[in-house]
Amino acid sequence: MVHGIMEDLEQEHEGVRWVVMGDDEYSMFFVEDIVDVLAKYDHNKYYYFGDQSEYILSNFWFSFDQGFGGAGFIMNIESCLRRYPFLNSADLITMVSIVDLGVGFTPLKGLRHLDMRGDISGLLSSHSKTPLLSLHHIDSIAPIFPLMDRAKSLRHFMKAAIMKAAKFDQSRLLQQIICHHRLSNWTFSVSWGYSVHIYEKIMPRSHLIKPIQTFKTWIKKPKSPPYYMFNTRPCTNDSCETPHVFFFKTIGKMKNKNEIWTTYFRSEAQGLPSNCSIDGDRPTNYVNKIQVYSPRAKRTEMDRCECCDIIHTSGSNKAKIKLRECFTNEKIA
């Protein structure tokens, strides 16, 4: 990999400012978001961008200060020397060569290596507040849409879901927006272009930004935690803590309005006994479709998440969510 970088950089490429490297396994890059992020940096300076593995032991075994190539890393250095024949990881060799040039590692959280197994819907539904830049190991995890087989899930992912949503608005892709319907005592958590969760109680954003641990460790589970480079929430049988899950289905633009709509349908019944209401009635069970309306304008700043308003009539099988910028002192709790 290091020689490949050197050969590429030694060639003359008019107008090229950055070199982006990724594994030849199943990796996906969201180029528009990458361009927007890199535009904030001076390409005449030395940078080594990447992200760590989500699995804490992978970073321990190799380095906490390297970009893992599956998720991709980005450089604008002029040379990278290979002087470490005893190292057996291309990512690690690249890192130590760059460090020897005096260049530090700059993490970009939107580069997702996905060093985990099983159902990653919990992670994708609580993506960090940063533009999505890449996804790796898509072929090694369980279907992203859990009720579909792998082939159908990948087709839906590529043609109808995230990749189609990306064509409309990459800046909001997987961005988590949380709002409350206090009349019903519900909390909605939107992962734009992927999923919507409804909780049967008011829950603060500080809790919901932690992914539900629907996934498993990359290799055999260590004897004791921590397992990941981020905090997680456990799966639970508490119906107040377990969301009703809806997955992305369709997307379009509103005629005569400066809005994009995305539609999400219920995955399956939650199937847990209610302990969130006194009379045992669960109006959330009636909801099977959610429509989210977002501005067409691309979000250029990520210093703060968006907020939203919910339109829902008790007993209705539909709910509407309208995204907007948060008010100055608005609290999502």
Side-chain angles (χ1 to χ4, degrees), residues 4-283:
I5 296 170
M6 292 175 62
E7 291 172 4
D8 190 67
L9 290 172
E10 286 170 356
Q11 298 177 23
E12 293 187 6
H13 299 287
E14 185 177 352
V16 173
R17 296 183 175 185
W18 303 91
V19 175
V20 182
M21 297 292 295
D23 281 359
D24 57 359
E25 299 169 287
Y26 205 106
S27 298
M28 304 177 67
F29 292 90
F30 298 89
V31 178
E32 186 176 323
D33 276 353
I34 291 175
V35 170
D36 288 343
V37 169
L38 293 180
K40 300 176 182 179
Y41 296 88
D42 184 352
H43 68 278
N44 294 305
K45 295 182 179 180
Y46 289 81
Y47 286 104
Y48 166 40
F49 296 111
D51 201 12
Q52 300 160 319
S53 169
E54 293 88 353
Y55 184 45
I56 196 167
L57 284 182
S58 292
N59 300 293
F60 175 75
W61 290 328
F62 295 100
S63 174
F64 284 88
D65 294 316
Q66 77 168 46
F68 281 73
F73 49 79
I74 305 163
M75 299 168 294
N76 67 335
I77 62 172
E78 296 177 357
S79 65
C80 190
L81 304 177
R82 182 172 184 173
R83 298 195 303 272
Y84 299 93
F86 53 87
L87 296 178
N88 60 3
S89 164
D91 295 343
L92 185 57
I93 293 169
T94 302
M95 184 274 288
V96 296
S97 299
I98 294 171
V99 168
D100 285 353
L101 293 174
V103 181
F105 174 59
T106 303
L108 289 180
K109 292 299 181 184
L111 295 164
R112 284 292 192 183
H113 196 60
L114 300 182
D115 266 353
M116 51 193 67
R117 302 286 186 183
D119 175 12
I120 67 164
S121 62
L123 179 73
L124 297 183
S125 295
S126 297
H127 176 68
S128 55
K129 190 177 66 62
T130 185
L132 179 65
L133 305 180
S134 71
L135 292 171
H136 185 50
H137 286 155
I138 295 297
D139 58 336
S140 300
I141 55 177
I144 287 180
F145 297 94
L147 294 185
M148 300 180 183
D149 60 34
R150 185 178 301 279
K152 188 175 181 180
S153 177
L154 279 174
R155 284 197 300 271
H156 185 60
F157 176 79
M158 294 292 292
K159 295 181 179 180
I162 290 181
M163 295 308 293
K164 187 173 182 179
K167 293 180 180 179
F168 280 80
D169 187 357
Q170 277 197 26
S171 69
R172 285 186 174 83
L173 198 56
L174 294 192
Q175 294 303 301
Q176 187 182 25
I177 304 100
I178 297 165
C179 47
H180 304 104
H181 191 254
R182 298 190 183 276
L183 187 63
S184 302
N185 207 40
W186 294 351
T187 299
F188 287 72
S189 176
V190 178
S191 175
W192 195 90
Y194 179 64
S195 70
V196 176
H197 290 179
I198 301 180
Y199 295 87
E200 295 183 38
K201 70 175 185 179
I202 300 299
M203 303 179 76
R205 184 174 184 273
S206 56
H207 180 64
L208 295 180
I209 61 174
K210 294 182 287 188
I212 301 173
Q213 196 172 318
T214 57
F215 39 86
K216 300 177 182 178
T217 55
W218 179 244
I219 61 169
K220 186 178 180 180
K221 194 173 184 178
K223 292 182 179 180
S224 60
Y227 308 125
Y228 305 103
M229 294 292 291
F230 48 85
N231 298 114
T232 62
R233 289 180 282 150
C235 294
T236 175
N237 289 325
D238 183 344
S239 61
C240 301
E241 294 280 344
T242 301
H244 297 258
V245 180
F246 302 74
F247 283 114
F248 174 91
K249 186 69 174 180
T250 55
I251 187 170
K253 294 180 180 179
M254 293 288 291
K255 293 182 179 180
N256 303 321
K257 288 188 177 181
N258 199 26
E259 288 182 319
I260 296 171
W261 56 263
T262 49
T263 304
Y264 307 77
F265 285 88
R266 181 181 286 275
S267 171
E268 58 185 346
Q270 188 198 61
L272 295 174
S274 175
N275 58 4
C276 296
S277 60
I278 297 176
D279 58 8
D281 185 31
R282 304 189 69 187

Side-chain angles (χ1 to χ4, degrees), residues 293-304:
Y293 297 87
S294 58
R296 283 196 192 183
K298 181 169 68 175
R299 294 205 83 208
T300 56
E301 297 294 334
M302 290 288 183
D303 60 315
R304 194 179 183 190

